[in-house]
Amino acid sequence: MAKIGNIDVGDFPLLLAPMEDVSDPPFRALCKEQGADVVYTEFISSEGLIRDAAKSVMKLDIYEKERPVGIQIFGANLDSMLQSVEIVEASGPDIIDINFGCPVKKVVSKGAGAGILKDIDLMVSLTEAMVKHTKLPVTVKTRLGWDEKTIMIKEVAERLQDVGCQAISIHGRTRAQMYKGSADWKPIAEVKNNPRMHIPVFGNGDVDTPERAMEMRDKYGLDGAMIGRASIGYPWFFKEVKHYFKTGKHALPPTMEERVEAARRHLQMSIDWKGEKLGVFETRRHYTNYFKGIPDFKPYRMKMVTSDDSADVFAAFDEVLQKFGDHQFV
């Protein structure tokens, strides 16, 4: 059984990755229903939190049905990070996660996210200070290194553990790779197999089939899998992985009725949480995967992703169910 601090997260837990404009409360709720063991919020700027920026503060919203839930923050300034920990604590999460892996230029240019991989001493000292500043378990999400010449993840993970980090999630790419090429899980396995390591080591990157999740567990010996892109518009991925672990067989894919119902609930929850305009806009990215593999679907998808009126999107869902209700997914 893997444990994050005193939180039992199960045998080889599946974790929903923190993804900007994806891992919001509506989507986390759907993933939790479909078997995600731990969910994380979108990453939140520590500077935004201490300045009471509306978008950052809104991301602190969490609900009882999500637990255990982690709030992820990023930044490179010690004072700002410590102040943000206090703000985060007030929201009542189970875990505080630090983002040391985001490769996006606007984050990296400020020395945050994966930018801190250029200064491992700062990475460790920030983590240590945050651990001392909260009673909640502190975890870290990071990458293998800045580039292939600076991969020191085995040493980095040891140092983070030594200052009190309670679990580490490692994306199997460097910052230089961004999301290109294939994730390399071998260095993550080296971290896990280091006899000095005793905290959970979770793998991230290219876990896009149940077979890949099983490979991460059985071949690489990791403690759990963090799921990112494979879950976008497809919250059933968690359930399907668990079914495969249990039976060795693929679960039947969700029916058209189940897909439409999930998309409808997703949109309604988003509107309830963000309001009409943002709710409609930020749910669009999910529709391609909700309805992937349907022939001649483009006109319906275009309605879903171009309409600014939720009534039109809900109407498109009804049309899809009426026209493609007997479509068999494979």
Side-chain angles (χ1 to χ4, degrees):
M1 288 287 182
K3 296 186 79 171
I4 300 175
N6 292 321
I7 304 166
D8 187 346
V9 293
D11 183 18
F12 199 80
L14 304 178
L15 302 84
L16 173 65
M19 294 178 281
E20 177 72 353
D21 295 329
V22 174
S23 305
D24 56 16
F27 186 60
R28 297 199 304 265
L30 291 169
C31 291
K32 194 73 178 182
E33 290 172 12
Q34 296 297 331
D37 296 294
V38 183
V39 296
Y40 288 89
T41 65
E42 305 167 75
F43 74 162
I44 306 174
S45 164
S46 57
E47 300 294 338
L49 282 180
I50 66 174
R51 286 167 175 73
D52 204 29
K55 186 174 183 181
S56 295
V57 172
M58 188 177 184
K59 291 178 182 178
L60 292 172
D61 289 351
I62 57 175
Y63 301 92
E64 285 301 313
K65 61 187 176 184
E66 298 182 58
R67 297 190 187 278
V69 56
I71 291 180
Q72 189 190 69
I73 54 178
F74 73 94
N77 178 278
L78 177 58
D79 288 340
S80 299
M81 290 291 273
L82 294 182
Q83 287 181 61
S84 69
V85 165
E86 296 173 6
I87 298 168
V88 166
E89 274 188 325
S91 295
D94 303 289
I95 300 160
I96 295 178
D97 190 72
I98 315 173
N99 183 309
F100 290 144
C102 177
V104 177
K105 187 176 181 180
K106 68 178 182 179
V107 174
V108 169
S109 63
K110 297 175 183 176
I116 210 166
L117 288 166
K118 287 184 171 181
D119 189 345
I120 301 303
D121 288 343
L122 176 59
M123 183 184 191
V124 173
S125 64
L126 268 178
T127 303
E128 181 175 24
M130 291 177 69
V131 167
K132 290 178 178 178
H133 205 66
T134 180
K135 293 180 181 178
L136 293 173
V138 173
T139 61
V140 162
K141 184 172 189 288
T142 189
R143 287 182 169 235
L144 299 179
W146 177 256
D147 56 29
E148 62 178 14
K149 297 177 182 177
T150 59
I151 295 177
M152 301 183 296
I153 190 61
K154 184 176 176 181
E155 173 195 337
V156 170
E158 263 193 33
R159 293 181 65 185
L160 291 172
Q161 174 183 263
D162 289 348
V163 297
C165 176
Q166 296 292 305
I168 185 168
S169 300
I170 305 170
H171 184 107
R173 290 181 175 87
T174 63
R175 190 275 168 175
Q177 284 181 271
M178 300 294 284
Y179 294 99
K180 297 175 182 176
S182 299
D184 184 1
W185 297 347
K186 290 192 260 333
I188 310 176
E190 290 174 9
V191 172
K192 172 59 189 172
N193 294 326
N194 177 358
R196 282 207 63 235
M197 292 297 290
H198 56 78
I199 62 172
V201 178
F202 303 126
N204 177 231
D206 296 353
V207 186
D208 51 13
T209 65
E211 288 90 343
R212 291 285 279 161
M214 182 171 278
E215 184 181 8
M216 186 173 269
R217 184 189 70 177
D218 296 348
K219 180 178 177 180
Y220 292 89
L222 303 184
D223 293 302
M226 180 172 275
I227 313 297
R229 287 178 287 178
S231 68
I232 298 175
Y234 202 79
W236 300 277
F237 187 76
F238 300 93
K239 184 178 181 180
E240 291 180 359
V241 169
K242 290 186 172 182
H243 179 87
Y244 189 79
F245 282 178
K246 188 175 182 179
T247 68
K249 298 177 181 178
H250 285 270
L252 292 174
T255 64
M256 180 60 76
E257 187 174 348
E258 289 169 327
R259 290 166 191 257
V260 169
E261 176 62 18
R264 188 181 281 126
R265 286 183 58 215
H266 193 164
L267 177 56
Q268 187 59 61
M269 287 191 291
S270 294
I271 293 169
D272 292 344
W273 184 58
K274 303 177 187 180
E276 171 85 8
K277 185 176 179 180
L278 265 182
V280 169
F281 178 74
E282 293 190 356
T283 313
R284 288 175 178 171
R285 71 183 61 226
H286 294 271
Y287 297 141
T288 296
N289 283 346
Y290 270 130
F291 303 107
K292 191 174 184 178
I294 305 172
D296 305 317
F297 191 75
K298 186 176 180 180
Y300 300 92
R301 184 173 67 250
M302 291 305 294
K303 284 184 184 179
M304 295 175 190
V305 302
T306 58
S307 176
D308 295 324
D309 187 337
S310 63
D312 292 337
V313 183
F314 284 121
F317 294 155
D318 292 336
E319 290 177 42
V320 167
L321 190 57
Q322 186 173 9
K323 182 170 177 62
F324 301 101
D326 58 354
H327 180 81
Q328 297 295 310
F329 292 92
V330 294

